[in-house]
Amino acid sequence: MEPISIVALSNDHYAVHLATMLFSLFENKLPETNYQIYIIDGNLSLENKSKINCLLQTYNTSPTYLTVDPSIYKHAKVWGHVSREAFYRISIPDLLDRSIKKVIYLDSDLIIKGDLRALWESEQLDKHFLGAVEDPVEFAGIKLPRGYKYFNSGVLLMNLKKWRKYNISSKVLLFINKYPGKIMWWDQDALNAVLYNKWFPLDYKWNYQVFRMGHLDINPVIIHFNTDIKPWNGETLLKEEYDYYRNRLEW
């Protein structure tokens, strides 16, 4: 069975939360599932890399670290709890070998409660550039054409083959540089601006956004703590899910 390519990103501020997410990912996979982990390196310290490596070695795997030229995103608008490294996911198709045709991108403020094979094998991806979960945001910096929905960029099933063929990363970067005043929700606004009619919706269970979906009756596979209030700095819905893995993590 082919390994599932997982891409995440982190700087030192989020390193322990990335490790917590990866811990939950491997603890809840099926025995026959293999994950290949790629980490976009937001200037992680050697100490934090060593800790992440040790964690993954317990699952007989090791991460591949990817480097982005930060000057590419020097015009990216940053505010609040999100750093410039968040934009680095846009470069994923260019960072990975062209033999890798698709990936699952995962934010660091997630807890994974189950196996991701079903997400990986979503048949609709062949016809789209992206699979994602709708974000019922009340307002965004960009205005999409009538009838189109806005997606959350915390969990992305990416068709890298199509991204490369149509130079999607370059188009998203062009939007960032040309319309900085229109961007409110960081990389997410730019991705939606370019891909608003090129993605397909995933079931909410693949990106259960606790701040906006807490009222829904969903059994989530992926829990997303998607605001500046995180389980490690305040009280949030399903905080106990994060604490369960963080408290067991050797860090």
Side-chain angles (χ1 to χ4, degrees):
M1 189 175 291
E2 68 170 332
I4 296 173
S5 298
I6 302 287
V7 180
L9 62 85
S10 184
N11 54 25
D12 277 337
H13 181 68
Y14 267 78
V16 66
H17 312 307
L18 168 64
T20 303
M21 182 274 284
L22 292 173
F23 183 31
S24 70
L25 173 72
F26 278 89
E27 282 289 286
N28 292 301
K29 76 178 187 66
L30 295 174
E32 62 269 26
T33 294
N34 293 313
Y35 295 126
Q36 176 59 55
I37 306 298
Y38 300 89
I39 298 174
I40 302 177
D41 182 1
N43 200 27
L44 287 163
S45 69
L46 292 177
E47 179 183 4
N48 282 331
K49 283 185 179 179
S50 178
K51 291 179 179 179
I52 292 169
N53 294 345
C54 287
L55 168 67
L56 294 181
Q57 283 169 7
T58 63
Y59 301 101
N60 297 314
T61 189
S62 59
T64 298
Y65 291 94
L66 308 170
T67 303
V68 173
D69 177 0
S71 67
I72 295 174
Y73 295 101
K74 62 183 179 181
H75 297 301
K77 180 181 177 182
V78 178
W79 63 273
H81 68 284
V82 173
S83 66
R84 186 163 279 106
E85 286 85 0
F87 287 84
Y88 290 1
R89 77 195 73 189
I90 296 165
S91 294
I92 289 173
D94 304 320
L95 298 175
L96 296 176
D97 189 271
R98 296 183 72 86
S99 64
I100 301 174
K101 301 297 195 298
K102 64 178 179 178
V103 301
I104 297 174
Y105 168 79
L106 298 173
D107 265 353
S108 294
D109 56 350
L110 308 174
I111 290 296
I112 316 299
K113 296 286 291 178
D115 191 88
L116 301 188
R117 176 67 58 180
L119 171 60
W120 177 252
E121 295 178 348
S122 298
E123 294 181 357
Q124 292 188 68
L125 185 63
D126 290 340
K127 299 179 181 179
H128 297 84
F129 292 75
L130 194 70
V133 173
E134 179 187 355
D135 189 331
V137 63
E138 294 181 3
F139 57 90
I142 61 167
K143 185 176 182 180
L144 300 180
R146 184 182 299 274
Y148 289 98
K149 295 182 179 181
Y150 182 89
F151 62 82
N152 184 276
S153 66
V155 177
L156 301 173
L157 178 62
M158 302 175 69
N159 185 334
L160 301 188
K161 184 177 180 179
K162 290 180 76 71
W163 275 60
R164 292 168 180 140
K165 181 178 180 179
Y166 293 93
N167 298 313
I168 295 299
S169 295
S170 296
K171 292 175 181 178
V172 176
L173 184 60
L174 178 62
F175 183 89
I176 291 169
N177 293 333
K178 192 173 182 180
Y179 303 107
K182 293 186 177 182
I183 294 176
M184 177 178 294
W185 303 121
W186 314 288
D187 62 282
Q188 190 167 278
D189 273 355
L191 288 167
N192 272 273
V194 174
L195 296 168
Y196 69 91
N197 62 345
K198 299 177 176 66
W199 67 284
F200 72 95
L202 297 170
D203 190 281
Y204 286 163
K205 71 181 180 181
W206 296 117
N207 185 353
Y208 180 76
Q209 302 150 58
V210 298
F211 178 67
R212 299 188 180 100
M213 297 180 177
H215 63 290
L216 300 177
D217 184 17
I218 296 173
N219 184 23
V221 178
I222 301 178
I223 300 169
H224 188 186
F225 301 99
N226 61 313
T227 69
D228 56 341
I229 301 175
K230 307 292 186 184
W232 57 85
N233 66 14
E235 296 297 323
T236 183
L237 186 66
L238 298 180
K239 171 182 169 63
E240 68 278 5
E241 296 282 2
Y242 172 86
D243 289 343
Y244 175 74
Y245 294 97
R246 175 64 185 91
N247 292 338
R248 294 169 58 209
L249 182 69
E250 294 184 10
W251 191 265

